[in-house]
Amino acid sequence: MYEFSVIGGKTAREIIGASRPEIVDVVRDTYLAHHAGDSVNPDSYFLRFPEKPDARIIALPAHLGGGADVSGIKWISSFPANIERGIPRASAALLLNDYETGYPFACLEASQISAARTAASAVLAAEQLTGGRTAGKLTVVGAGIIARNILEFFKAREWAVTSVTVHDKSEEYGSALAAHSTDVLGYPAATESSLSAALTGADVVVLATTAAEPYIVAPDAFAPGQVVLNISLRDIGPELIDGAYNILDDVDHCLKANTSPHLAEQKYGGRDFITGTLAQVVNGEVSVGTDKPVIFSPFGLGVLDLAVGLHVFRTAKESGTAVEIEDFFGETTRW
């Protein structure tokens, strides 16, 4: 009852790397549980800094029922200036609480978990919205850690990809991701300095940038039937959102913080542009056509962090790689 475990990033990365296909299934089941009301997922809480307007630390509390019965909170920072220092933009920790007693039982390094749940949701959406696991040209805009994880999850789910095109402002980062795609994943990749050329002809587009406001605004930027994974949420102008099929992870969560869908709601004064949620697509409750672009915008739900974190925790416990902290709780009886 009073055990407390710590799971570091190296261990989490190894577990995730060995179980990516299963994590996509975990994310799928969690979306369905959330859709069925078997979760509590409050708004995220943002800590911002007056002298660093682009930086933030976010708290994501949540509870997941069903077979998990776990509560917890992810505390994740986003400091874009870190990229200039050559270190990851995001860092995070995840605390898991026992539903019966409320006692925390594990602390996990969570940047790996956060990246994994984001990548798993992206690949799940791609599978559901394309109806398969095949892409001729796959374009990635933004060559950071999230993009790398997404490509790794595509590979783990045995996607057949003819070529990968990488577009990034940094030639160094773009080349590194292209090399990783080609040499490690076996997806032939090349960089493209022109955003328009990168988007043209792509079956699937992955947007994984740190953009704070829309820069993809040309009316013909996306083609009918093209599946766009709007992972970074703020790259696309509201006019393009209005002219597409829009699948979200959670409508109320996604329509805030000036995401592209939120900007569309503000501009057009309603939510008629929303087609439905990914869970509804999985359940067959909504569908998309090929006459317009298809855009998936996931705000990122805390319940996904709990589900993937619990998977990592259980695997670490079974393998003996979790670090046990004895006497973490100073008092375990009332008297």
Side-chain angles (χ1 to χ4, degrees):
M1 177 177 177
Y2 304 113
E3 292 182 353
F4 190 84
S5 304
V6 174
I7 299 167
K10 182 179 179 181
T11 297
R13 174 75 176 166
E14 290 173 350
I15 291 171
I16 290 166
S19 58
R20 291 188 182 102
E22 293 86 352
I23 289 174
V24 176
D25 294 332
V26 167
V27 166
R28 178 185 183 276
D29 293 343
T30 304
Y31 274 135
L32 294 178
H34 179 67
H35 181 59
D38 201 5
S39 67
V40 181
N41 204 103
D43 286 343
S44 302
Y45 298 91
F46 287 71
L47 174 62
R48 298 188 182 275
F49 310 92
E51 297 179 358
K52 293 184 176 183
D54 63 336
R56 61 190 185 274
I57 307 179
I58 312 169
L60 286 81
H63 169 75
L64 179 61
D69 275 338
V70 63
S71 304
I73 189 167
K74 180 176 73 171
W75 182 239
I76 181 167
S77 68
S78 175
F79 280 55
N82 285 351
I83 296 174
E84 300 172 6
R85 302 183 179 99
I87 61 177
R89 169 185 59 85
S91 58
L94 175 68
L95 197 65
L96 299 180
N97 293 72
D98 175 63
Y99 182 52
E100 192 69 27
T101 66
Y103 271 70
F105 62 84
C107 180
L108 302 90
E109 194 281 331
S111 64
Q112 303 293 331
I113 291 166
S114 187
R117 63 87 151 149
T118 300
S121 67
V123 174
L124 174 66
E127 292 176 2
Q128 293 293 321
L129 298 175
T130 65
R133 297 181 183 177
T134 301
K137 176 181 176 181
L138 190 157
T139 289
V140 179
V141 180
I145 290 174
I146 295 298
R148 185 193 72 209
N149 275 269
I150 291 173
L151 287 180
E152 289 170 346
F153 268 81
F154 272 117
K155 182 65 176 180
R157 293 288 282 191
E158 299 181 347
W159 269 66
V161 177
T162 303
S163 67
V164 172
T165 297
V166 180
H167 173 81
D168 194 286
K169 290 182 177 180
S170 166
E171 182 178 349
E172 177 186 359
Y173 291 143
S175 296
L177 183 61
H180 182 74
S181 175
T182 302
D183 301 337
V184 178
L185 304 180
Y187 292 150
T191 59
E192 174 54 69
S193 59
S194 166
L195 175 61
S196 176
L199 297 177
T200 299
D203 298 307
V204 177
V205 175
V206 177
L207 302 178
T209 74
T210 58
E213 58 186 27
Y215 59 91
I216 302 177
V217 295
D220 59 349
F222 302 130
Q226 195 172 48
V227 172
V228 181
L229 306 177
N230 182 29
I231 306 306
S232 39
L233 285 175
R234 296 171 179 84
D235 304 63
I236 305 170
E239 297 84 2
L240 290 176
I241 293 290
D242 188 54
Y245 292 103
N246 286 280
I247 302 298
L248 283 56
D249 56 353
D250 181 285
V251 175
D252 289 331
H253 280 80
C254 199
L255 293 180
K256 62 183 63 170
N258 287 331
T259 63
S260 294
H262 187 208
L263 293 178
E265 180 189 36
Q266 294 175 61
K267 179 166 184 173
Y268 297 106
R271 300 181 173 186
D272 292 343
F273 60 88
I274 298 174
T275 308
T277 65
L278 185 56
Q280 288 178 306
V281 175
V282 173
N283 282 338
E285 298 170 19
V286 300
S287 61
V288 297
T290 58
D291 56 316
K292 298 187 292 186
V294 181
I295 300 176
F296 173 60
S297 299
F299 193 76
L301 302 177
V303 288
L304 299 181
D305 295 292
L306 293 185
V308 176
L310 188 61
H311 167 79
V312 171
F313 166 76
R314 287 173 172 170
T315 305
K317 290 284 284 185
E318 291 171 1
S319 64
T321 54
V323 178
E324 309 299 337
I325 308 298
E326 296 183 3
D327 300 324
F328 180 80
F329 298 101
E331 294 182 279
T332 55
T333 60
R334 294 189 66 191
W335 297 101

